[in-house]
Amino acid sequence: MPVVEYPQGSKFPGHIGLTTEDSSPAWPEPIRAAKDSPNVLFFVLDDVGYGQLSAFGGLVETPNIDRIAKMGLRYSNMHTTALCSPTRACILTGRNHHSNGVASIMETATGYPGYDARMPFENGMLSEALRQQGYNTFCVGKWHLSPSEENTAAGPFHRWPLGRGFERFYGFLGGETNQWYPDLTEDNRAIEPPKTPAEGYHLSDDLADQAIRMILDAHVNAPEKPFFMYYATGCGHAPHHVAKEWADKYQGRFDDGWDVYRKTVFAQQKELGIVPVHAELPPRDPDVPEWESLTSDEKRLYARFMEVYAGFVSFTDHHFGRILDTLEEIGELDNTLVMVISDNGASAEGGPAGSLNEMFFFNNMSESFDDNFQQIDTLGDTQSYNHYPWGWAWAGDTPFRRWKRETYRGGSTDPFVMSWPAGIAARGEVREQYAHAIDMVPTVLDILGIEAPDAIRGVAQAPIEGVSFAPSFDDVAAESGHKTQYFEMFGHRAIDHDGWRAVNPWPGPDFTTAAAKGRQFGSEISLAVLDELETDGWELYRITDDPTESRDVGPEHPAKLRELVALWWVEAGKYKVLPLDGEVTSRLGVERPQTSRPRSRFTYYPGLSAVPQPAVPQTLNRPHSIEADVTIPPSGAEGVLLANGGAAGGFVLYVMDGRLHYTLNYLARDFFTVSSVDDLSEGRHKLRFEFEPTGAPDFTVGKGASGRFQLYVDGVLVGNVEVPYTTPMFYELEGLSCGYDSGAPVLADVYSSPFSFTGTIHEVVVDLEGELIEDDDAIQRRLMSQQ
């Protein structure tokens, strides 16, 4: 007897009698996608510049992204917001970043509608729309779209991937992670990586494995059911982690430096047709030194930074190729719409000389070239947290000016390749139509013949703000429907309109010019400063003639400039861009609503999931204590009681060689340790660490408060050390773990993770306001003499 189906919510078409003998059944119709609907695969790269990928003339080999370009199209005029979370919000919703409440990264949320990082549910995601159309929906890799303070095991989970329409998730919730020791989440629970680096683990490999598994799991059970996969690796965001053999593939390739790189790539871009032949390469950025002005050692180190980055990107491309191969093997590649995009331009967060430890940048700490050069052979490995010098970011954004976080085209114009062999006749062609990340969702809906939903799970939907660029797939002359687009990032502003572009750079067109005015990245925009910026801060470019923003024609076209400035303010009002905020550090420290009520006492138990860094007790620069209630067995014990951070910076309270120790890893440069004088005896004990500040922090030079480290066993002082400074603002972003060290070990030269405690931990309490135990001066003097 054939199965009778009926639309869900409609009248039951069967017959209900007294018994099944005189009744006929019918079933609610399952949600099924339209026959032959294509799969949709978004591959979102991180911090990859316009001039880095080989598909865009760059010198980083990405044969699998090239494969997509040859099967389909390269869009030379695709735009993003200039930063990661905002662009990702645009990619998934089709709405502007301020409309999504994602003005910048989630960690800098402030209490204004365009800035609060609480993405409204009326801005539905593509995952939610396609799930309603019978698609499987998978999210693999970086999320960075839920408020940081909600990324704990307590949730709430409604803004995690599974709360936003994805059926499966495997990846990391924050903005970056250690590629060797990642913070992993599967669905709604934290997990540990399946292997260690010594066993061959790397995140890019793991993410590809999981993506392939999700695709095949669904395919073998419902071969005709299409999927939407959002595949967002950590590459090429710092830390640039990759095995040495991949970095060594590029040995010597970048020895000529960033000036030659820029010229070489510019020429190749013209040959490929992604840059007009009449375009000019902008003059040297004053923040970037000439390569030939560097010493031989500087050249060697800086070239190696780039070799590692290039190896990282190529390694990730290799594993993306495994996904493509899987789709081809199961006969799905031709009917898969693949879109590859970077979330912003190349990153300058490595500073002028590069960084062996990116946490230096976030802590306002300068690095020593000599220290970095001595560790050149560790770049990319498990002991580094490296990022290349900003000269490579400048070169990586060829042919444009500047880089990530800035709304010049170097920050906001990005590589975009796509293919759909079953639906697009064109092969290997270039499209020049203007497009933005908000256009990806309406383009997908357009080709699927799906109207944007009026409601998702009962929530009425706001209008989609992007427009489809599908008409350009097979028509090189199709007119772009996207005429006007505003930009704003940390007060840096721009607007594109009908071939013209106005830019108001903040704190200036470059750091050198800004410094001459007493400004720097993160400076406040006061009303007086805003008045000055509106008077003489705007620049104007005719992009159709000058796509690289080489010539400011504002003085020649004052009326056009006034027109675009007025239009920027109209768009700002429409999309919740105000109030303008140029600050960064203060935004990182804003008090935000927490899942739990404010507290000063935190209790942890052994073996539970690591606590994400945003939810960790803020112990920096304040008096605090850590007290572990433990039982030491007759045979003794060792291991971690509490750890926070990782190899790039953090602290750990632990037992080793029979004694209690506390060590602060200051950005992997200095290590301050206090140890107990005597061995711990068998039995139950209260093991306590206290920090008592003795001096104020100096954030301008990357130093936190000086102070006193003290250890107590059952209330008796057993260790005391004076430290000249501590970490000022941030540890490595791994979070806090009790009874073990999750991820990269805080003390890699002392123990290997997880170094679990072998005694019994009853609880560990972190207290931010408890009274300090009074010092015994005599014991202090004895302990000081023994250090």
Side-chain angles (χ1 to χ4, degrees):
M1 181 176 178
V3 174
V4 176
E5 298 178 346
Y6 63 96
Q8 296 187 36
S10 65
K11 183 180 178 181
F12 175 70
H15 174 69
I16 300 176
L18 296 178
T19 69
T20 56
E21 183 180 10
D22 64 339
S23 301
S24 58
W27 300 84
E29 182 180 45
I31 298 173
R32 297 187 183 99
K35 184 175 170 48
D36 297 327
S37 292
N39 306 304
V40 180
L41 171 59
F42 286 178
F43 179 18
V44 182
L45 292 161
D46 203 329
D47 290 3
V48 172
Y50 192 92
Q52 290 180 323
L53 303 178
S54 50
F56 272 68
L59 304 187
V60 180
E61 296 172 1
T62 50
N64 292 292
I65 296 175
D66 292 350
R67 178 180 174 186
I68 296 299
K70 290 173 184 175
M71 290 166 55
L73 302 167
R74 280 169 294 191
Y75 278 76
S76 62
N77 207 6
M78 173 61 77
H79 298 78
T80 63
T81 69
L83 205 62
C84 52
S85 294
T87 293
R88 291 159 196 269
C90 295
I91 287 171
L92 284 171
T93 68
R95 284 90 168 181
N96 283 299
H97 57 307
H98 294 85
S99 296
N100 283 310
V102 189
S104 63
I105 56 174
M106 312 308 276
E107 292 82 357
T108 58
T110 58
Y112 301 98
Y115 293 73
D116 62 16
R118 274 68 179 166
M119 293 183 66
F121 293 101
E122 57 265 31
N123 289 4
M125 291 190 175
L126 183 60
S127 47
E128 295 169 304
L130 294 188
R131 186 173 177 176
Q132 293 185 165
Q133 295 292 327
Y135 272 67
N136 279 131
T137 53
F138 309 132
C139 181
V140 179
K142 174 174 170 175
W143 182 237
H144 210 198
L145 288 175
S146 49
S148 302
E149 51 276 10
E150 294 183 0
N151 288 345
T152 75
F157 303 103
H158 59 314
R159 287 191 170 92
W160 290 29
L162 267 61
R164 295 307 309 253
F166 289 103
E167 296 168 317
R168 298 181 68 178
F169 171 59
Y170 187 97
F172 56 101
L173 293 171
E176 71 178 52
T177 194
N178 190 310
Q179 299 290 304
W180 300 114
Y181 298 96
D183 297 316
L184 285 178
T185 296
E186 184 172 30
D187 297 335
N188 282 349
R189 65 187 184 93
I191 62 169
E192 291 297 311
K195 296 188 294 187
T196 66
E199 296 169 323
Y201 184 85
H202 189 284
L203 181 60
S204 289
D205 188 355
D206 188 16
L207 293 179
D209 284 347
Q210 298 300 326
I212 291 169
R213 176 174 296 177
M214 291 180 190
I215 290 169
L216 293 180
D217 277 349
H219 181 74
V220 299
N221 289 286
E224 73 289 345
K225 186 175 184 179
F227 67 82
F228 166 51
M229 175 171 283
Y230 178 75
Y231 182 69
T233 69
C235 179
H237 197 291
H240 301 156
H241 282 157
V242 74
K244 185 175 184 296
E245 57 265 28
W246 280 88
D248 286 350
K249 290 177 184 290
Y250 287 94
Q251 196 162 24
R253 299 266 198 100
F254 305 109
D255 287 356
D256 289 338
W258 41 63
D259 297 290
V260 171
Y261 181 104
R262 194 161 165 84
K263 293 175 183 176
T264 301
V265 170
F266 188 50
Q268 293 184 173
Q269 289 172 334
K270 288 188 174 184
E271 289 179 14
L272 289 170
I274 61 172
V275 171
V277 293
H278 67 267
E280 299 176 7
L281 198 60
R284 158 173 301 284
D285 191 296
D287 294 337
V288 179
E290 292 186 27
W291 185 260
E292 290 307 314
S293 71
L294 304 176
T295 67
S296 59
D297 283 348
E298 286 174 328
K299 291 178 181 178
R300 182 182 165 201
L301 176 62
Y302 298 168
R304 184 58 179 174
F305 271 115
M306 185 58 193
E307 290 170 6
V308 172
Y309 173 83
F312 182 26
V313 175
S314 290
F315 179 72
T316 301
D317 174 83
H318 166 77
H319 288 290
F320 173 57
R322 292 172 50 217
I323 299 173
L324 300 182
D325 290 344
T326 298
L327 291 171
E328 188 167 39
E329 289 166 6
I330 63 175
E332 291 290 334
L333 184 57
D334 280 357
N335 199 31
T336 298
L337 173 67
V338 181
M339 292 184 171
V340 183
I341 190 172
S342 176
D343 59 359
N344 45 245
S347 170
E349 287 153 355
S355 175
L356 197 71
N357 181 353
E358 195 198 16
M359 292 301 110
F360 276 54
F361 171 80
F362 294 115
N363 282 283
N364 273 344
M365 182 66 185
S366 60
E367 294 195 54
S368 161
F369 173 82
D370 291 338
D371 288 347
N372 286 355
F373 185 73
Q374 290 173 12
Q375 299 180 72
I376 187 172
D377 292 333
T378 71
L379 289 176
D381 72 12
T382 57
Q383 297 304 301
S384 67
Y385 210 88
N386 48 294
H387 196 308
Y388 56 27
W390 64 31
W392 290 119
W394 173 66
D397 288 325
T398 303
F400 305 124
R401 301 173 61 171
R402 302 301 283 175
W403 40 56
K404 172 183 177 181
R405 301 183 317 207
E406 301 185 14
T407 65
Y408 284 120
R409 296 197 73 190
S412 63
T413 307
D414 290 287
F416 181 86
V417 301
M418 61 164 294
S419 70
W420 180 28
I424 301 175
R427 298 287 185 271
E429 298 180 11
V430 175
R431 294 290 182 265
E432 299 177 355
Q433 283 83 358
Y434 190 96
H436 187 276
I438 61 174
D439 299 332
M440 292 170 67
V441 165
T443 300
V444 171
L445 296 179
D446 185 8
I447 67 171
L448 295 181
I450 297 172
E451 292 291 332
D454 294 326
I456 292 176
R457 286 178 288 189
V459 178
Q461 294 295 288
I464 294 219
E465 294 165 359
V467 295
S468 172
F469 52 85
S472 66
F473 286 177
D474 285 317
D475 183 358
V476 67
E479 185 176 354
S480 172
H482 200 136
K483 301 297 185 184
T484 304
Q485 180 61 47
Y486 83 92
F487 299 84
E488 187 279 333
M489 191 57 60
F490 297 115
H492 204 291
R493 295 174 284 158
I495 187 164
D496 288 330
H497 179 68
D498 201 21
W500 292 88
R501 188 164 218 269
V503 184
N504 193 311
W506 177 257
D510 51 72
F511 298 149
T512 302
T513 303
K517 293 186 175 183
R519 299 169 183 167
Q520 61 183 1
F521 175 70
S523 292
E524 177 188 6
I525 299 176
S526 65
L527 287 172
V529 167
L530 178 60
D531 185 61
E532 178 185 339
L533 292 174
E534 291 305 290
T535 300
D536 60 13
W538 285 94
E539 303 163 359
L540 180 67
Y541 301 95
R542 181 59 168 156
I543 296 300
T544 51
D545 300 329
D546 176 26
T548 63
E549 299 172 313
S550 297
R551 302 182 304 278
D552 176 9
V553 295
E556 303 165 34
H557 301 278
K560 176 59 68 173
L561 180 57
R562 287 195 299 271
E563 174 191 337
L564 262 68
V565 172
L567 185 57
W568 186 92
W569 284 99
V570 170
E571 298 293 287
K574 183 188 305 182
Y575 296 117
K576 307 177 184 177
V577 181
L578 302 179
L580 286 178
D581 189 353
E583 295 188 84
V584 179
T585 302
S586 64
R587 287 161 75 167
L588 287 166
V590 164
E591 291 289 337
R592 304 181 186 93
Q594 302 293 318
T595 302
S596 62
R597 291 185 174 86
R599 54 183 169 146
S600 60
R601 184 179 175 88
F602 301 77
T603 302
Y604 300 101
Y605 303 99
L608 300 180
S609 301
V611 178
Q613 197 65 260
V616 166
Q618 299 303 301
T619 59
L620 296 170
N621 306 305
R622 68 191 302 175
H624 65 272
S625 67
I626 304 170
E627 185 168 270
D629 182 355
V630 307
T631 296
I632 307 293
S635 59
E638 68 172 8
V640 170
L641 302 172
L642 197 73
N644 187 10
F651 71 77
V652 58
L653 181 65
Y654 63 107
V655 176
M656 179 176 279
D657 298 328
R659 299 189 179 190
L660 178 65
H661 311 272
Y662 174 94
T663 298
L664 171 69
N665 173 347
Y666 174 77
L667 305 176
R669 171 174 284 186
D670 296 318
F671 296 84
F672 301 116
T673 299
V674 58
S675 302
S676 64
V677 175
D678 302 315
D679 290 351
L680 297 171
S681 61
E682 173 190 352
R684 189 160 180 169
H685 298 287
K686 294 290 184 70
L687 308 181
R688 182 180 176 92
F689 163 79
E690 289 186 357
F691 175 64
E692 181 182 355
T694 57
D698 188 348
F699 297 125
T700 63
V701 295
K703 292 185 177 180
S706 60
R708 186 174 295 120
F709 287 180
Q710 297 175 323
L711 293 178
Y712 296 84
V713 175
D714 300 325
V716 177
L717 181 65
V718 296
N720 184 86
V721 167
E722 299 285 338
V723 294
Y725 46 84
T726 54
T727 305
M729 288 177 277
F730 300 102
Y731 298 129
E732 186 175 337
L733 304 178
E734 285 189 9
L736 179 145
S737 48
C738 178
Y740 69 105
D741 189 343
S742 174
V746 175
L747 304 178
D749 293 337
V750 177
Y751 61 81
S752 299
S753 294
F755 196 40
S756 300
F757 186 64
T758 57
T760 300
I761 297 176
H762 304 286
E763 66 176 23
V764 177
V765 176
V766 178
D767 197 329
L768 304 182
E769 291 183 347
E771 291 184 1
L772 296 176
I773 298 175
E774 294 294 324
D775 298 338
D776 184 319
D777 290 339
I779 296 177
Q780 262 198 69
R781 285 192 295 272
R782 176 172 67 84
L783 293 172
M784 288 294 288
S785 69
Q786 292 176 318
Q787 298 300 312

